[in-house]
Amino acid sequence: MALLEIQNLTKSFYGIPAVDHLNLSIERGEVTGLIGPNGSGKTTIFNCITRHLESDEGVILFKGKDITHTAPYRLALSGLTRTFQTIRVFSELTVLENLLVALQQHQEDSVISRLLRSPSIRKFERVAREKADEALEFVELTYVRDLKAGHLSYGQRKLLALASCFVFEPDIILLDEPTAAVNPTMINKIKEHIRILNQKGITFFIIEHNMEFIMDLARRIIVLEQGQKIAEGEPRDIQTNEMVLEAYFGR
Amino acid sequence: MDIFILHLINGITLGAMYALVATGLSVVFGVLRMVNFAHGDLFMLSGYLLVFLYVEKGVPYGLAVVFTVAGMVLVGFLFERIVIRPVVHRTWRIQLIATLAASIVLTNLAILIWGTTPRQAPTILSQNVFRVASVNISYQRILLLVVAVVSFLLLTWFVQKTRTGKAMRAISQNREASVVYGLDIHGISSITFGIGSGFAALAASIITPLYSVEPTVGAMVMMKALAAVILGGLGHVRGTIYAAVLLGITEALFAGYVSYPFRDAAAFIVLIFVLLLRPQGIFGRKVSI
Amino acid sequence: MGKKLLLPLLVIILLGMPLIVRLPYFLHILILSAMYVAYALSYDISAGHLGSVSLAHPAFFGTGAYVTGILAPMFGTPFWANFLLAAALVMILAFIMAQPAFRLADISFAIVTLGLAVSLQLVAQNWVELTRGPMCINNIPAVSLFSKGSSVLLSSLQGYYYLFLLVNIVVIVIYRLVTTGRIGRTFTAIRNDEILSATQGINVLRYKQLAFLIGAALAGGVGSIWAHYMTVVCPDYLGLSYTLNLLIIVFIGGVTNYRGIIVTAVVLTIVPEVLRVAPSIRLILYGILLFLAIVLMPEGLAGLVDSVRRRLRKSTSELQSAAAENQSASDSNDATPFSE
């Protein structure tokens, strides 16, 4: 059974299909790249999966369950999360709190115990802190741990956004252009992080324009054009595929 | 049957009144993407301006209406410059608070200047009735209907055919692109606001002779207009007009057959039920991120 | 050092106030400002911390007052029972109102809450059998600790002053409990970015409703005590003018900043009374102040104090300056509670 499966997904804007009867599936443990020219519908697919957009047609299965109409927060709780093209962080919370607030949603505490600060909460909080510190160490953000996230540089925000996704150990993370507007050193860092996280068992589905990056990282690439899948395969097959070259460079 | 027709006619004129007020709100929302919570106060100021011109200065009614509308268009320009422009790019919360603040100031200025006693401005038209079968309709109400229809036609013509109107539509569809194409956004905003304020003035000049004007008169009219704007789909002018008429008729029938004291709640009951079914309003399109 | 002394000093001043302020009128003003502190804080939980700027808050205060106004004369129940009952019933009311209102975003939410509040005010005005309509409910008994018979100690002006101090302590404690720690952190996350919150597993709607209900319940409780104090409840308790007062206090004081709100509530209530300004002139000035506050400093007066303090600190120590200041300059438009 595939971890994430998309069947016959269709989404149109003003009658123009952005995603057109698309099928794809992602196995557990994979790193899959999603590439295609601008406007080919990549982010729309992500938005339909995480239900930031309501799809017109089609079914999306996650761990075998139909999640087509599941609220985004429930998806996160069941192990599917994402980053955004324009980086989002909680600007008024510190870097540490950004991770804590994500972590605590996945702990089984009640509102009442949170209000009353019961001892169990303190235990939960300690566990969360340990995990958060570990994650910060991993992405090398420990030195800005107590800084408000709104004061971070762009690259730091990008790392924080990644950290607040993997910190609660989801099954799959959808990354929307993780290398956009990032310097080469940082790109290599991000690549390394993804690799290690993948080895730890997190599945990745990545939209990317940086070919070198994605061809190096992904085991499988899906190529999209005008909302349709035009090719799928291992990186080196994709690099030599006629249709792909045509889609990108126009014959 | 006669009673029913009477209620219906009342409802339609009420609807026309709400529509005139709501159109101003809706046009402004369409172009500026914001709700002006001081719109009711512009309506109230217009009422006082009419009373000043027509009752105190003895200007003939027709001319007083023209001056009121012209004067309020200028006030609209001024209002846009002082209150709207500083918040037009801010969040809805800041816009809400800023325009409510403006409303507080205008309402209390009116109390300071004119006191709280209602002022009236009866006209020959409002004092004479037109009889159809056994139903009496004052000529002022007929004037209201005529003015509403004519002004909507004029507005449609303006938005569809003139350069400024086309620019308004362009901005409402895509603000960023409009900047790129070199449209004078500030200028268009001013004009839009002038139109909105002018519609409020038109409504007030025709309605004040039927009722009266006091500093808080704008609040309830404004709330009905807001209900119409939301019901019609934010920024959807035609939808707003239909919704306003619908609310007017509902209110009149509610007042006639269900409960007169609770008539003011009718609009909100309709609003809430419709929104439970269609959160984007009757005519609005669902907006996503 | 100075900070440690501040709290005991404040407690002494607050407790000793009725000994210094002898004139009943001034004591009344103090009680009024204490009421506004609790009322405004109850509003800030939802409107400030979660950004759900509802215009229905006085409906909760007013309903709480009516619940007590109607039931207390009938049953002669003690004030704390009325307080709890008003809070509980208002919470149910808020839950019902939240169902349609929270389906809507942004400005539509504000407008629908306004509509609900107006409808409720119409009920208060027109359901004469229950509320006596515009004639108001009079002769609400003074507070009593136990059923039957009011205790003289509590129902004196001084008694009410201490009672409102107590109410304030209750409100501030609950306010702090929900706006700090795990829940407060989640509130901030939602206020900063709802979409991101959802992708991290936060049930945004549930938290927004939670804040709305808690704020409503507190307002209902405050309204209940206020009804006892005033001995009269009128339909205008539910009216728009109260909403405007709340907006003035909360947004000038600074959303999410409870100290700023407390100071603003007290100052804005006391100053015009002392200076004997006509209500309309006062509201004109406050309206202008509110406008300037929201446009120029969305973080409120407290935010202004903070930024002045930050600037002073910067002039003494250059350490954190460059980077942080650059960032905060470019962020100041995005990162303030009220920009997104």
Side-chain angles (χ1 to χ4, degrees):
Chain A
M1 182 184 68
L3 181 65
L4 181 69
E5 195 167 344
I6 293 173
Q7 297 167 351
N8 202 27
L9 183 74
T10 301
K11 175 73 193 175
S12 306
F13 297 106
Y14 306 103
I16 300 157
V19 179
D20 197 357
H21 300 281
L22 182 88
N23 292 295
L24 63 84
S25 72
I26 288 167
E27 299 297 326
R28 191 180 279 279
E30 271 192 329
V31 176
T32 309
L34 180 61
I35 66 171
N38 284 324
S40 57
K42 303 184 296 293
T43 300
T44 305
I45 295 175
F46 273 23
N47 284 341
C48 287
I49 295 173
T50 54
R51 205 164 158 262
H52 291 100
L53 283 176
E54 200 73 55
S55 51
D56 300 336
E57 237 184 278
V59 178
I60 301 166
L61 300 171
F62 176 57
K63 295 198 243 181
K65 265 186 282 181
D66 185 349
I67 57 158
T68 320
H69 301 291
T70 306
Y73 84 91
R74 280 189 195 281
L75 290 177
L77 293 180
S78 64
L80 185 155
T81 187
R82 68 175 293 185
T83 64
F84 295 87
Q85 220 165 350
T86 44
I87 285 301
R88 291 166 177 261
V89 292
F90 301 122
S91 52
E92 283 177 88
L93 293 177
T94 66
V95 170
L96 177 70
E97 286 170 332
N98 261 271
L99 300 188
L100 290 179
V101 81
L103 272 167
Q104 74 184 51
Q105 310 305 327
H106 302 263
Q107 295 177 322
E108 304 275 323
D109 57 332
S110 69
V111 173
I112 302 294
S113 62
R114 261 179 263 165
L115 271 178
L116 300 179
R117 315 275 150 96
S118 70
S120 67
I121 283 298
R122 259 174 256 151
K123 209 186 81 197
F124 277 133
E125 191 72 8
R126 203 171 52 239
V127 173
R129 258 165 216 271
E130 277 164 21
K131 278 192 185 166
D133 278 333
E134 205 176 297
L136 287 180
E137 202 130 317
F138 179 69
V139 294
E140 295 165 35
L141 283 181
T142 310
Y143 68 108
V144 288
R145 182 178 181 266
D146 297 313
L147 215 61
K148 290 252 166 85
H151 292 208
L152 296 182
S153 73
Y154 185 77
Q156 289 169 329
R157 278 181 214 216
K158 212 136 200 181
L159 289 174
L160 177 59
L162 180 66
S164 48
C165 280
F166 74 73
V167 75
F168 57 84
E169 295 158 11
D171 298 285
I172 184 168
I173 301 177
L174 316 182
L175 296 176
D176 198 344
E177 297 199 29
T179 70
V182 166
N183 67 49
T185 336
M186 190 67 97
I187 291 181
N188 282 329
K189 264 192 200 168
I190 291 174
K191 196 197 289 176
E192 220 30 62
H193 292 330
I194 294 174
R195 221 169 242 153
I196 295 170
L197 290 168
N198 181 237
Q199 280 161 11
K200 285 184 182 166
I202 297 179
T203 309
F204 282 91
F205 188 23
I206 307 174
I207 292 178
E208 194 45 78
H209 277 299
N210 183 334
M211 287 305 146
E212 202 189 325
F213 175 88
I214 198 68
M215 294 294 172
D216 189 24
L217 194 60
R219 234 165 299 166
R220 197 162 57 97
I221 305 277
I222 294 168
V223 190
L224 214 61
E225 197 199 13
Q226 288 176 4
Q228 291 178 322
K229 188 163 73 178
I230 56 164
E232 179 175 358
E234 286 180 32
R236 58 187 134 80
D237 297 335
I238 294 297
Q239 275 163 318
T240 53
N241 185 312
E242 279 299 319
M243 280 178 80
V244 177
L245 292 176
E246 194 173 310
Y248 266 91
F249 305 112
R251 48 194 77 225
Chain B
M1 196 57 203
D2 282 350
I3 296 282
F4 177 78
I5 291 173
L6 185 68
H7 289 321
L8 197 65
I9 290 170
N10 265 337
I12 291 168
T13 49
L14 210 54
M17 158 177 157
Y18 295 153
L20 279 174
V21 181
T23 301
L25 274 174
S26 191
V27 169
V28 167
F29 188 90
V31 177
L32 301 176
R33 297 279 134 200
M34 69 178 286
V35 174
N36 172 24
F37 277 78
H39 192 69
D41 296 272
L42 295 176
F43 174 88
M44 175 270 296
L45 285 184
S46 315
Y48 277 112
L49 189 53
L50 182 85
V51 169
F52 173 75
L53 291 170
Y54 173 63
V55 180
E56 292 180 18
K57 293 288 161 206
V59 179
Y61 180 63
L63 213 54
V65 172
V66 173
F67 283 148
T68 302
V69 172
M72 286 310 291
V73 168
L74 293 180
V75 171
F77 289 157
L78 207 65
F79 189 88
E80 193 273 341
R81 189 72 197 80
I82 296 169
V83 178
I84 302 302
R85 207 170 289 178
V87 297
V88 79
H89 292 293
R90 312 288 281 273
T91 64
W92 68 271
R93 297 185 191 87
I94 293 179
Q95 295 171 345
L96 168 73
I97 308 294
T99 53
L100 273 174
S103 166
I104 298 175
V105 173
L106 291 178
T107 306
N108 287 285
L109 264 179
I111 294 176
L112 203 64
I113 300 171
W114 296 292
T116 46
T117 338
R119 305 273 178 109
Q120 287 176 325
T123 62
I124 306 164
L125 291 175
S126 72
Q127 286 161 330
N128 287 293
V129 293
F130 170 75
R131 273 181 81 87
V132 194
S134 60
V135 176
N136 290 337
I137 312 163
S138 82
Y139 285 103
Q140 190 78 19
R141 283 181 191 272
I142 295 168
L143 177 69
L144 174 63
L145 288 177
V146 173
V147 166
V149 170
V150 170
S151 60
F152 295 143
L153 291 177
L154 274 176
L155 180 70
T156 315
W157 169 81
F158 182 80
V159 172
Q160 299 292 336
K161 298 289 182 220
T162 63
R163 268 182 71 93
T164 317
K166 285 176 185 165
M168 282 166 61
R169 278 193 295 156
I171 293 175
S172 88
Q173 275 155 23
N174 193 332
R175 208 180 171 85
E176 287 73 31
S178 307
V179 178
V180 175
Y181 285 110
L183 287 176
D184 172 16
I185 294 221
H186 284 321
I188 304 290
S189 298
S190 292
I191 291 170
T192 307
F193 227 87
I195 293 173
S197 182
F199 264 88
L202 203 54
S205 336
I206 316 274
I207 294 159
T208 307
L210 283 169
Y211 304 96
S212 59
V213 57
E214 55 186 305
T216 52
V217 74
M220 195 47 92
V221 175
M222 162 82 180
M223 279 184 229
K224 304 291 176 53
L226 280 174
V229 169
I230 304 259
L231 203 57
L234 276 166
H236 193 296
V237 178
R238 193 175 297 251
T240 302
I241 293 170
Y242 295 148
V245 174
L246 179 78
L247 288 182
I249 293 173
T250 313
E251 185 178 324
L253 294 180
F254 192 91
Y257 294 107
V258 186
S259 157
Y260 184 77
F262 283 102
R263 65 191 183 284
D264 284 330
F268 300 117
I269 295 170
V270 174
L271 177 66
I272 286 160
F273 274 104
V274 171
L275 288 179
L276 283 175
L277 300 172
R278 277 180 72 86
Q280 68 273 35
I282 300 179
F283 303 96
R285 215 189 262 116
K286 203 165 185 173
V287 194
S288 329
I289 37 159
Chain C
M1 261 315 258
K3 274 208 165 150
K4 269 186 183 162
L5 277 173
L6 209 62
L7 191 66
L9 197 68
L10 199 66
V11 171
I12 292 169
I13 291 177
L14 286 176
L15 288 178
M17 211 50 133
L19 302 174
I20 309 163
V21 181
R22 290 297 188 137
L23 276 175
Y25 174 71
F26 283 117
L27 213 48
H28 166 72
I29 299 307
L30 285 180
I31 292 169
L32 182 67
S33 61
M35 183 278 282
Y36 264 117
V37 168
Y39 194 8
L41 286 177
S42 74
Y43 184 56
D44 186 49
I45 294 175
S46 171
H49 285 270
L50 285 165
S52 321
V53 184
S54 125
L55 299 176
H57 209 60
F60 304 136
F61 174 86
T63 305
Y66 266 108
V67 166
T68 297
I70 293 165
L71 295 182
M74 273 194 226
F75 302 108
T77 37
F79 80 92
W80 47 267
N82 295 331
F83 179 95
L84 291 177
L85 186 68
L89 288 180
V90 167
M91 205 173 199
I92 293 169
L93 173 74
F95 179 78
I96 295 167
M97 285 168 65
Q99 300 320 307
F102 278 96
R103 293 174 63 123
L104 302 168
D106 311 348
I107 202 76
S108 307
F109 169 80
I111 294 171
V112 165
T113 54
L114 180 62
L116 288 165
V118 171
S119 307
L120 222 56
Q121 195 186 5
L122 288 171
V123 173
Q125 249 157 20
N126 296 304
W127 193 355
V128 180
E129 295 83 1
L130 186 72
T131 65
R132 290 170 50 88
M135 291 180 302
C136 304
I137 293 179
N138 303 308
N139 301 326
I140 300 165
V143 294
S144 62
L145 207 49
F146 309 101
S147 56
K148 302 251 165 72
S150 65
S151 59
V152 184
L153 201 66
L154 272 176
S155 56
S156 66
L157 262 184
Q158 281 83 1
Y160 274 109
Y161 172 82
Y162 290 115
L163 185 60
F164 271 97
L165 271 191
L166 184 70
V167 169
N168 269 314
I169 290 169
V170 170
V171 171
I172 290 171
V173 166
I174 293 176
Y175 178 98
R176 293 294 289 166
L177 274 179
V178 293
T179 59
T180 59
R182 293 199 145 201
I183 298 183
R185 195 189 279 152
T186 311
F187 283 180
T188 309
I190 293 171
R191 180 174 74 239
N192 282 178
D193 194 330
E194 285 183 26
I195 290 173
L196 179 62
S197 295
T199 63
Q200 315 229 310
I202 298 174
N203 186 346
V204 173
L205 189 64
R206 202 180 66 152
Y207 278 96
K208 281 186 166 181
Q209 296 199 2
L210 177 76
F212 190 67
L213 295 192
I214 292 174
L218 288 178
V222 175
S224 158
I225 307 277
W226 192 244
H228 276 304
Y229 172 66
M230 295 299 280
T231 69
V232 52
V233 192
C234 296
D236 69 343
Y237 276 35
L238 291 85
L240 188 64
S241 62
Y242 272 94
T243 314
L244 298 178
N245 285 344
L246 284 182
L247 293 176
I248 288 168
I249 292 169
V250 170
F251 283 86
I252 292 177
V255 281
T256 77
N257 185 319
Y258 74 106
R259 291 197 188 91
I261 291 170
I262 294 172
V263 171
T264 313
V266 174
V267 171
L268 292 191
T269 315
I270 294 179
V271 168
E273 297 291 347
V274 173
L275 297 181
R276 301 258 169 193
V277 188
S280 53
I281 293 179
R282 188 193 69 189
L283 281 169
I284 291 170
L285 293 177
Y286 284 2
I288 294 171
L289 200 58
L290 177 60
F291 181 81
L292 292 177
I294 194 76
V295 171
L296 302 177
M297 37 175 206
E299 282 176 283
L301 280 180
L304 187 71
V305 172
D306 277 353
S307 72
V308 168
R309 203 186 284 164
R310 224 177 292 144
R311 226 158 274 172
L312 287 176
R313 207 181 299 155
K314 194 188 141 202
S315 64
T316 51
S317 84
E318 292 286 324
L319 256 173
Q320 323 151 290
S321 64
E325 189 60 25
N326 274 340
Q327 285 294 344
S328 72
S330 65
D331 287 332
S332 61
N333 286 324
D334 306 319
T336 51
F338 264 70
S339 341
E340 194 55 46

